[in-house]
């Protein structure tokens, strides 16, 4: 697998994670039950953090490719 | 959850102030939903551009907004809304085990202490939370952690009915409102026991019960 392809896959995974995060956030915003809020706190937010980490990893890889880092 | 009895109080609601534009919580909810829609649209936009094998170098800006910036804003709005909503009576009533208590609370004919406070609006909002959490930041944190335990026990079924309060009800929660009230301080019936009430040696609810109705076995899921 080439480096750009790998980077695209990382970014796709980040997009999927943020989509799941948005779905869970929407549930809380529409009907904020304690269970929904707990799932948001302990599942959705970590997913968003993982997505952010993946984005940073992809950005760093891009900068290294361009020899800016 | 709607009030248990269809009295005039439920049919007539107090008029809203002139120029009413909703509560902060409603605005946060609206903004939050708007941001979710925006975020999903941005994510789909980026996804389809990637599917068309466009160069990544032309998409970094969009990626940073769609995966970095907007989700953080969504997270902030959702957290604020969820935290606020988790203190409401309807949030407490969303677990079936709480149904008898919330039904009694909203029953205008009930004479329990909780119902008396509710129907007379001695506590304006979040009546369950106001009486079942201590004052100050420490009280909020402890209540939220206890709530987490409640969610865990409810979803895993690790509770027994009738449910009981975890620890004896402290007078400080009553005194937070009543403690400096002149009517309370000058009440002839309280004069003698006031130091003991303040020190927690005599419980308020020993004389002012029942606080809630008895819970029946069938309240369990």
């Amino acid at each position: 697998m080439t480096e750009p392809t790998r980077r695209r896959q990382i970014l796709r995974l980040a997009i999927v994670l943020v989509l799941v995060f948005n779905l869970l956030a929407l549930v809380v915003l529409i009907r904020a039950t304690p269970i929904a809020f707990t799932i948001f706190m302990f599942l959705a937010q970590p997913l968003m953090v993982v997505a952010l980490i993946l984005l940073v990893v992809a950005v760093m890889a891009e900068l290294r490719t361009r020899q800016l880092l | 959850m709607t009030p248990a009895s269809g009295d005039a109080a439920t049919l007539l609601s107090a008029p809203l102030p002139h120029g009413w534009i909703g509560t902060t919580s409603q605005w946060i909810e609206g903004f939050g939903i708007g941001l979710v829609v925006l975020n999903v649209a941005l994510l789909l936009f980026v996804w389809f551009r990637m599917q068309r094998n466009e160069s990544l170098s032309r998409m970094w800006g969009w990626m940073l907004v769609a995966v970095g910036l907007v989700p953080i804003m969504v997270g902030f709005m959702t957290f604020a809304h969820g935290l606020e909503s988790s203190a409401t009576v309807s949030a407490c009533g969303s677990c079936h085990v709480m149904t008898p208590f919330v039904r009694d609370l909203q029953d205008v004919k009930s004479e329990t202490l909780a119902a008396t406070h509710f129907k007379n609006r001695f506590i304006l909002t979040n009546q369950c939370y106001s009486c079942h959490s201590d004052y100050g930041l420490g009280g909020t944190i402890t209540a939220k952690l206890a709530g987490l335990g409640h969610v865990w026990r409810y979803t895993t079924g690790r509770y027994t009915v009738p449910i009981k309060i975890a620890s004896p009800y402290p007078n400080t929660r009553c005194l937070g409102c009543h403690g400096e009230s002149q009517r309370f301080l000058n009440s002839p019936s309280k004069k003698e026991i006031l130091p003991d009430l303040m020190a927690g040696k005599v419980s308020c609810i020993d004389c002012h019960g029942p606080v809630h109705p008895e819970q029946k076995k069938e309240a369990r899921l």
Side-chain angles (χ1 to χ4, degrees), chain A residues 23-29 31-45, chain B residues 78 82-83 85-88 90-98 144 146-157 159 221:
Chain A
L23 186 74
L24 294 171
L26 194 62
V27 172
V28 175
L29 287 164
R31 194 166 187 276
T33 64
I35 293 172
F37 186 50
T38 306
I39 292 171
F40 173 78
M41 291 298 287
F42 291 97
L43 179 65
Q45 296 203 126
Chain B
T78 311
L83 202 64
S85 301
S86 64
T88 59
S90 63
C92 299
S94 68
C95 292
H96 297 300
V97 73
M98 284 292 135
K144 294 296 172 196
L148 195 59
H150 295 165
V151 168
W152 171 254
R153 283 192 288 278
Y154 180 71
T155 48
T156 57
Y159 64 91
L221 272 175

Side-chain angles (χ1 to χ4, degrees), chain B residues 40-50 52 59 62:
Chain B
V40 170
L42 282 168
L43 289 167
L44 291 175
F45 172 71
V46 176
W47 179 274
F48 286 115
R49 281 186 72 171
M50 282 176 79
R52 289 204 305 259
M59 278 194 289
W62 288 108

Side-chain angles (χ1 to χ4, degrees), chain B residues 1-211:
Chain B
M1 191 171 284
T2 53
S5 51
D7 289 272
T10 62
L11 302 172
L12 297 170
S13 54
L16 296 168
H18 179 70
W20 173 258
I21 54 166
T23 63
T24 312
S25 190
Q26 287 168 337
W27 276 87
I28 288 176
E29 183 183 358
F31 270 123
I33 292 171
L35 282 168
V36 167
V37 172
L38 173 71
N39 202 183
V40 170
L42 282 168
L43 289 167
L44 291 175
F45 172 71
V46 176
W47 179 274
F48 286 115
R49 281 186 72 171
M50 282 176 79
Q51 289 292 92
R52 289 204 305 259
N53 273 329
E54 277 192 38
S55 167
L56 276 182
S57 58
R58 292 170 59 192
M59 278 194 289
W60 286 115
W62 288 108
M63 283 300 297
L64 287 171
V65 172
V67 180
L69 186 66
V70 182
I72 289 173
M73 291 160 73
V74 169
F76 179 76
M77 292 289 179
T78 311
F79 177 73
H81 179 68
L83 202 64
E84 183 77 17
S85 301
S86 64
T88 59
V89 172
S90 63
C92 299
S94 68
C95 292
H96 297 300
V97 73
M98 284 292 135
T99 302
F101 302 110
V102 175
R103 196 171 286 159
D104 171 74
L105 184 78
Q106 295 175 328
D107 181 0
V108 292
K109 293 189 182 83
S110 173
E111 293 298 325
T112 60
L113 191 63
T116 304
H117 277 73
F118 185 87
K119 67 185 170 189
N120 293 306
R121 291 295 186 272
F122 293 152
I123 304 163
L124 197 59
T125 55
N126 303 342
Q127 287 85 355
C128 306
Y129 183 78
S130 297
C131 287
H132 287 279
S133 64
D134 288 323
Y135 295 89
L137 180 62
T140 303
I141 292 169
T142 310
K144 294 296 172 196
L145 289 174
L148 195 59
H150 295 165
V151 168
W152 171 254
R153 283 192 288 278
Y154 180 71
T155 48
T156 57
R158 291 181 187 179
Y159 64 91
T160 52
V161 283
I163 56 167
K164 292 189 174 83
I165 193 162
S167 53
Y169 194 83
N171 286 357
T172 49
R173 291 180 188 167
C174 307
L175 295 170
C177 293
H178 294 279
E180 291 181 15
S181 146
Q182 290 305 304
R183 189 176 161 195
F184 170 79
L185 292 171
N186 298 319
S187 164
S189 63
K190 306 281 186 324
K191 279 260 156 106
E192 283 183 19
I193 58 166
L194 202 55
D196 286 345
L197 279 172
M198 292 294 187
K201 290 177 185 168
V202 176
S203 175
C204 302
I205 56 176
D206 282 348
C207 299
H208 293 283
V211 181

Side-chain angles (χ1 to χ4, degrees), chain A:
Chain A
M1 191 187 294
T2 61
E3 186 60 29
T5 312
R6 220 185 103 207
R7 225 173 295 151
R8 276 176 190 274
Q9 284 195 337
I10 289 173
L11 290 173
R12 280 200 186 103
L13 179 60
I15 290 172
V16 171
L17 292 180
V18 176
L19 274 171
V20 175
F21 165 79
N22 274 289
L23 186 74
L24 294 171
L26 194 62
V27 172
V28 175
L29 287 164
I30 290 172
R31 194 166 187 276
T33 64
I35 293 172
F37 186 50
T38 306
I39 292 171
F40 173 78
M41 291 298 287
F42 291 97
L43 179 65
Q45 296 203 126
L47 286 182
M48 192 195 73
V49 172
V50 171
L52 276 175
I53 292 168
L54 290 175
L55 179 66
V56 170
V57 166
V59 170
M60 298 287 265
E62 176 80 8
L63 292 175
R64 267 197 295 271
T65 308
R66 294 188 197 182
Q67 295 182 328
L68 292 170
L69 203 68

